[in-house]
Amino acid sequence: MLEEGFRFHLKGCLGLGLAKCLPGRCRTVEKYATIPSHYKQGFNAVDRLIRQGLFYQRYLMKDPQARDQELSDLHKQFWSNQSSEEYYASTQTRFAKVFVPHFSHYLDQLEPLLQKAGVETICEIGVGDGQLLQALSQRWPGKRCVGIDLSVDQIEKNKEKFAAEPLEFYAGDAGEWIAEQADSGVLFVTGLGVLEYFTRDALDQLLASISSAPGNVLFFTEPVDDAAQMGTGFDSYPAGREHSFSHDYPALLERAGWRLTVSQPRLVSGYRYWVVIAATEVA
């Protein structure tokens, strides 16, 4: 245990030193720090140490809120810069291989909630390449389907790809867009990890803004740390290879006034996902 701690601090310090000596390289590492495998040239040993240093720098921050915001900004930089030729091009089979076999059956449980709430709009937060939103549009035709993503490039690609389908795509911060645009009777969806990049404060604001309207429904599939004791009210914390946030979704949703229909883990491809279906009261 002591040896692991020593290595952690040693690599962090070495990474910080390399980041200062190689600022150009550091900027590239920052751009791909969230998921290095999607850097076409590949991270070498120096890049991996710099990445360790970037996270170590944030680990040393004494103010947890400032630390979390710094981490969130680092993740936003990654997702904002992802193009249709990088991350999304290399993960086109993820929807068919992961979401469809492991999570699509939850859509059956959404059906009665959507009818009861009179849901007319589907909003996907972190729409990516649009495959999930397209599937939801085909399952529930006639509903307005909106996809929001940080990547301007991917949003433009989606508009071109789905030009003949009744799908709307917007580039920008989902929390800000929803606070300004969302109304009642909306199904909010994330697929395979989006809220994990939100700080606790940003997630609280999002949940509060959409819980205030009657007839809204949530369907989330979000990764969480294996050790997270869900439902205990623990503080959100960064964990895992991506240093993304594990949130206590059941506790946060109940505190924000949501009624949970589904709240359970799913172990898929070595990841622990937390599946949530929740609704506000119908007016």
Side-chain angles (χ1 to χ4, degrees):
M1 199 71 174
L2 287 173
E3 186 181 357
E4 289 181 3
F6 174 76
R7 282 202 297 263
F8 170 73
H9 290 289
L10 177 61
K11 288 182 178 180
C13 290
L14 287 172
L16 285 175
L18 287 168
K20 290 181 180 179
C21 294
L22 303 169
R25 197 68 208 153
C26 182
R27 285 192 291 272
T28 298
V29 172
E30 281 183 329
K31 184 177 177 181
Y32 293 94
T34 298
I35 309 179
S37 60
H38 292 284
Y39 177 54
K40 290 182 180 179
Q41 282 72 22
F43 273 22
N44 58 29
V46 170
D47 296 328
R48 290 192 292 273
L49 278 172
I50 292 175
R51 179 178 185 263
Q52 185 88 359
L54 292 174
F55 289 119
Y56 185 68
Q57 183 181 37
R58 288 154 179 81
Y59 164 82
L60 294 175
M61 297 177 69
K62 294 182 179 180
D63 183 346
Q65 285 187 317
R67 176 207 64 192
D68 290 353
Q69 189 58 57
E70 287 267 339
L71 279 172
S72 180
D73 290 344
L74 195 63
H75 293 314
K76 279 184 178 180
Q77 182 174 201
F78 175 81
W79 292 111
S80 297
N81 284 291
Q82 283 309 300
S83 73
S84 57
E85 302 303 321
E86 292 184 322
Y87 176 84
Y88 299 111
S90 64
T91 57
Q92 288 181 355
T93 62
R94 194 166 177 240
F95 175 72
K97 290 184 176 180
V98 180
F99 184 88
V100 171
H102 298 288
F103 299 102
S104 61
H105 65 279
Y106 287 103
L107 301 180
D108 295 335
Q109 298 182 56
L110 277 172
E111 195 85 51
L113 287 177
L114 301 191
Q115 292 180 4
K116 181 179 179 181
V119 166
E120 294 297 333
T121 299
I122 298 171
C123 178
E124 184 180 0
I125 303 168
V127 69
D129 63 8
Q131 292 187 71
L132 174 56
L133 189 66
Q134 180 190 40
L136 297 177
S137 175
Q138 292 171 349
R139 183 182 179 100
W140 292 300
K143 299 191 186 302
R144 182 190 182 196
C145 290
V146 178
I148 309 166
D149 202 275
L150 288 171
S151 171
V152 174
D153 177 83
Q154 185 59 46
I155 287 296
E156 292 306 312
K157 183 77 171 181
N158 289 349
K159 289 179 179 179
E160 178 184 339
K161 179 181 177 181
F162 299 108
E165 300 190 42
L167 306 178
E168 302 173 33
F169 296 99
Y170 299 94
D173 183 279
E176 294 175 2
W177 191 92
I178 289 169
E180 295 174 0
Q181 304 288 335
D183 203 346
S184 58
V186 182
L187 166 63
F188 294 94
V189 177
T190 71
L192 306 180
V194 175
L195 302 180
E196 61 176 314
Y197 304 110
F198 281 50
T199 65
R200 165 71 176 274
D201 287 345
L203 181 56
D204 278 340
Q205 290 173 17
L206 173 68
L207 295 177
S209 69
I210 57 181
S211 67
S212 60
N216 284 341
V217 179
L218 305 177
F219 174 41
F220 295 162
T221 56
E222 291 289 331
V224 294
D225 184 28
D226 291 343
Q229 300 295 312
M230 305 299 284
T232 62
F234 66 84
D235 290 333
S236 303
Y237 63 92
R241 285 170 287 182
E242 296 179 20
H243 295 259
S244 59
F245 298 104
S246 284
H247 300 294
D248 190 346
Y249 295 104
L252 294 181
L253 286 163
E254 288 179 354
R255 192 176 70 183
W258 292 87
R259 177 172 48 84
L260 275 71
T261 302
V262 173
S263 178
Q264 60 188 222
R266 291 280 295 181
L267 299 178
V268 180
S269 303
Y271 289 92
R272 181 191 187 206
Y273 289 91
W274 203 264
V275 183
V276 166
I277 294 178
T280 58
E281 295 301 325
V282 179

